[in-house]
Amino acid sequence: MKRKVILFAAAILTLCFAAGCQKPEAENIPKETETSSGIEINNEAVSDSKSGQTESASPEDGGSSGLNISLDENRIIQDQSFQAELSDWGDVRFVSYDPGAGSDFEDVSFYLVKDNKVVYSFPYYGENNKTDQYAGLFDSVESVAFRDVNGDKLKDVIVIINYMTGAGPQGMEPRPKARIFLAENKGFILAKDMTDDVNDHIEEKDMSMDHIYEYLKNK
């Protein structure tokens, strides 16, 4: 009887090992990964390798709305990006966007962001947003203002941008140029004639929002 009990116990142990009664290897279970890239604006967009953005249309001629654009948070010029109440857009964030390191004469860009999505891209001044035929190398955005400059009761956008021309004794000193966007039809148009007029008639040392506004008001 005792021998039968021993044989029965041995049989049970043999079946257990054959069925794989081992401890599961939890270390081999893959862990979920997390990614974090700061504030991501429209994370459905695929960034272009050169400019860090993708567009559904070019903003050169008249700007673009409803774009699929992804912005690199590190290139947003924080001290020249503001919340603003604009007539056709409501409460939006106006974003000044740096060209980024190593860009070849790329100019600064401007966007409107609402609910963490780019809703509007302001038109460029130079062809393909390049500055080589216009101003030199982009240096900085000096100031931004939202004022009605043409009397239509809509807030327009005035920007003063600094460039380095590389020409003359003061060529490497930042030199200011104005840029004016007029509100029109749920968007903005680049007022090139008005912009050139301001840059031609207001001296660099006097370039300020107040001087620009007074000059245009008296035209």
Side-chain angles (χ1 to χ4, degrees):
M1 182 68 181
K2 184 175 182 181
R3 176 181 172 83
K4 288 184 179 180
V5 172
I6 293 172
L7 290 174
F8 181 75
I12 294 296
L13 289 173
T14 301
L15 288 173
C16 182
F17 282 114
C21 296
Q22 294 98 348
K23 181 181 178 182
E25 295 183 7
E27 295 80 9
N28 294 330
I29 299 174
K31 296 180 180 179
E32 293 183 1
T33 58
E34 295 182 3
T35 59
S36 176
S37 58
I39 299 175
E40 192 166 322
I41 300 173
N42 191 359
N43 57 12
E44 295 178 355
V46 179
S47 297
D48 181 85
S49 59
K50 294 177 67 177
S51 65
Q53 66 185 54
T54 56
E55 301 181 18
S56 59
S58 171
E60 285 187 32
D61 297 326
S64 301
S65 59
L67 296 178
N68 187 25
I69 297 178
S70 180
L71 302 183
D72 181 352
E73 182 72 14
N74 294 322
R75 288 172 56 186
I76 293 177
I77 306 172
Q78 300 292 347
D79 62 346
Q80 295 300 331
S81 298
F82 308 96
Q83 289 297 127
E85 187 74 27
L86 299 179
S87 301
D88 289 330
W89 299 94
D91 184 28
V92 290
R93 185 186 182 197
F94 177 89
V95 170
S96 299
Y97 195 63
D98 191 272
S103 57
D104 183 18
F105 285 101
E106 187 178 346
D107 205 354
V108 63
S109 305
F110 302 102
Y111 301 96
L112 295 182
V113 174
K114 189 169 188 176
D115 298 328
N116 289 328
K117 292 183 180 179
V118 176
V119 294
Y120 187 78
S121 174
F122 282 79
Y124 300 150
Y125 186 95
E127 185 177 356
N128 297 321
N129 203 30
K130 298 294 185 179
T131 65
D132 50 341
Q133 300 297 320
Y134 165 62
L137 291 173
F138 168 75
D139 178 74
S140 60
V141 176
E142 184 172 312
S143 56
V144 176
F146 308 97
R147 298 186 183 184
D148 176 14
V149 299
N150 58 352
D152 62 357
K153 308 299 182 183
L154 300 175
K155 287 183 181 178
D156 308 304
V157 179
I158 310 170
V159 188
I160 298 176
I161 308 167
N162 293 320
Y163 296 94
M164 293 185 294
T165 65
Q170 287 81 38
M172 296 309 293
E173 294 181 8
R175 305 175 68 174
K177 283 187 175 291
R179 193 172 303 176
I180 302 167
F181 301 99
L182 298 178
E184 183 177 282
N185 297 329
K186 198 170 175 59
F188 292 85
I189 61 170
L190 172 63
K192 263 197 172 183
D193 290 343
M194 187 181 291
T195 294
D196 292 343
D197 185 29
V198 166
N199 289 327
D200 289 343
H201 291 91
I202 297 181
E203 294 187 28
E204 292 177 0
K205 64 180 179 67
D206 296 325
M207 189 70 72
S208 68
M209 290 300 175
D210 288 339
H211 277 97
I212 293 170
Y213 188 67
E214 287 301 316
Y215 177 80
L216 293 175
K217 189 173 68 172
N218 295 323
K219 288 289 292 180

